[in-house]
Amino acid sequence: MSEFYTMKIAGLERNLEKFPVNDKLDIAAFIIFGDVELTVKGCEELLKKVPEFDVILTPEAKSIPMAYEMARQSGKPYVIARKAVKVYMRNSIEVCVKSITTKNEQKLFLGETEANKINGKKVLIIDDVISTGESLAAVRELVKKAGGIEAAACAFLAEGDAADRDDIIFLEKLPLFFK
């Protein structure tokens, strides 16, 4: 039997299913894929809170709908940090990342074309949820390696202790569920 955590995000109520991370911790899974209403409304609310920026950068994959929608609403371009190098990515930049929702260490990559879109620009880093901050640290490193300037880092949700950080912008706090 599934257990859920109910919360409001951008004024919309959502039931997030809980999943075990380990024998001492559960998380409420926030999956933005397919939730067009929340994507549009959440991005609208988040854009009200962020400073001026030139380009959006997001890690692959769950926050891609947010990047698209924030780009659509703001008229600014977006770039995706990929999880693998593609044949069309010349001279790629890479960083390593370990996330709470991913079992193994991953890498994030920017190709030369994408890095050039960031170079010298004010970059808005976005993600769906900021939790441990490991993914955010990796994306921040990519911004530096590409010659960009971080405008801000933002997410729909700040999970656990991330809600106490003063270096991120978010809409709502998402608790961790300790057993």
Side-chain angles (χ1 to χ4, degrees):
M1 182 117 182
S2 295
E3 191 177 339
F4 293 86
Y5 174 71
T6 302
M7 67 181 301
K8 281 197 173 188
I9 307 163
L12 303 171
E13 189 172 290
R14 293 297 183 264
N15 295 314
L16 309 182
E17 189 172 358
K18 291 183 181 180
F19 291 93
V21 172
N22 56 44
D23 60 346
K24 295 180 179 162
L25 175 66
D26 287 351
I27 60 170
F30 177 65
I31 312 296
I32 195 70
F33 290 139
D35 194 336
V36 176
E37 179 185 37
L38 182 56
T39 301
V40 171
K41 184 68 173 160
C43 289
E44 181 181 300
E45 293 304 311
L46 207 46
L47 281 168
K48 291 176 185 176
K49 298 178 102 177
V50 299
E52 273 295 313
F53 63 93
D54 300 313
V55 63
I56 295 164
L57 175 62
T58 193
E60 195 172 37
K62 288 193 316 181
S63 53
I64 292 173
M66 292 172 57
Y68 169 82
E69 184 59 23
M70 289 178 83
R72 189 189 69 78
Q73 289 184 24
S74 69
K76 306 287 175 78
Y78 72 96
V79 172
I80 299 168
R82 304 297 302 263
K83 290 182 180 176
V85 175
K86 306 298 179 185
V87 295
Y88 52 80
M89 295 171 67
R90 286 187 199 91
N91 303 317
S92 63
I93 300 168
E94 74 176 67
V95 296
C96 293
V97 62
K98 177 77 172 108
S99 166
I100 191 172
T101 56
T102 307
K103 291 187 180 194
N104 299 317
E105 184 177 84
Q106 294 184 322
K107 292 184 178 185
L108 291 176
F109 301 89
L110 284 177
E112 183 177 35
T113 300
E114 293 75 24
N116 287 340
K117 291 178 183 176
I118 290 171
N119 189 355
K121 302 285 198 263
K122 292 183 284 185
V123 181
L124 178 64
I125 299 170
I126 67 165
D127 210 342
D128 57 334
V129 179
I130 296 174
S131 186
T132 64
E134 294 297 322
S135 296
L136 175 58
V139 176
R140 282 178 162 157
E141 188 177 337
L142 276 177
V143 169
K144 286 180 188 171
K145 285 184 171 187
I149 303 138
E150 182 182 332
C154 65
F156 277 7
L157 304 176
E159 186 173 50
D161 292 342
D164 298 328
R165 295 175 65 147
D166 62 2
D167 66 331
I168 61 171
I169 298 166
F170 60 94
L171 297 179
E172 299 295 336
K173 297 177 184 181
L174 179 63
L176 293 170
F177 302 91
F178 295 96
K179 303 177 204 178

